[in-house]
Amino acid sequence: MPTRTTMPDGIDDALIFICVNYADSRLCLDMAAQVAGVSRFHFSRMFKARTGARFVEYLTRIRLAEASNRLLNTEDSVSSICYAVGYRDLSNFHRMFRRHYGTTPSAHRRHPAARGGLIGDACTSTMADPIVRNRYAGSVPLNTRL
């Protein structure tokens, strides 16, 4: 029988699920906990212990890292990037972006050397793997109310 330290805790599955589904504005703690197979309260404790961040902080980092990437590598408008990375509200996106990067999205695009704040996107390799993507995409229907 597995010991408590070797028993799978589902956090890895939830992290992959988050990386694959971060752009859906309906993604929430309850969905990630369901993927992990634990209560939302237990998931919150385990997630913070594993990642060093609360669920919302982690999701925000992923979304903002992807927004930064798109700002620097596409000509997409700031508003289309905002919605494409999972934000529902442009003003909230601007506020969060400025808090993390110390500049507005438009200024970030114009002056990429001055950017700062977030470290690289931890999901890049995970999201690039089509096998992982196919396994976890939609594993919890995002239109389901938990």
Side-chain angles (χ1 to χ4, degrees):
M1 181 167 164
T3 65
R4 183 171 173 81
T5 57
T6 63
M7 189 176 299
D9 60 15
I11 293 296
D12 291 333
D13 288 341
L15 288 170
I16 293 167
F17 178 78
I18 293 164
C19 288
V20 171
N21 293 289
Y22 74 91
D24 192 307
S25 62
R26 297 168 296 176
L27 181 60
C28 65
L29 175 76
D30 289 332
M31 290 176 183
Q34 184 177 357
V35 169
V38 296
S39 75
R40 65 183 312 211
F41 304 106
H42 187 61
F43 178 80
S44 290
R45 286 190 301 273
M46 291 183 346
F47 190 86
K48 171 92 182 206
R50 175 73 61 84
T51 65
R54 293 178 307 134
F55 172 79
V56 171
E57 294 166 343
Y58 187 84
L59 181 58
T60 298
R61 286 184 198 144
I62 292 169
R63 287 177 170 167
L64 292 178
E66 179 60 20
S68 172
N69 180 50
R70 290 179 187 212
L71 285 164
L72 299 175
N73 296 303
T74 72
E75 295 297 319
D76 296 347
S77 70
V78 171
S79 61
S80 68
I81 291 171
C82 161
Y83 301 119
V85 299
Y87 283 89
R88 296 182 198 181
D89 180 338
L90 188 57
S91 64
N92 185 45
F93 171 70
H94 273 272
R95 184 172 42 258
M96 297 306 292
F97 196 94
R98 187 174 191 112
R99 182 179 298 157
H100 284 279
Y101 283 102
T103 188
T104 65
S106 297
H108 183 78
R109 174 177 269 163
R110 286 191 305 270
H111 306 289
R115 70 183 185 269
L118 296 178
I119 57 173
D121 182 5
C123 291
T124 301
S125 60
T126 301
M127 292 166 42
D129 184 341
I131 295 170
V132 171
R133 232 184 196 320
N134 290 336
R135 177 176 173 201
Y136 290 96
S139 60
V140 173
L142 293 181
N143 60 354
T144 302
R145 193 83 171 130
L146 299 175

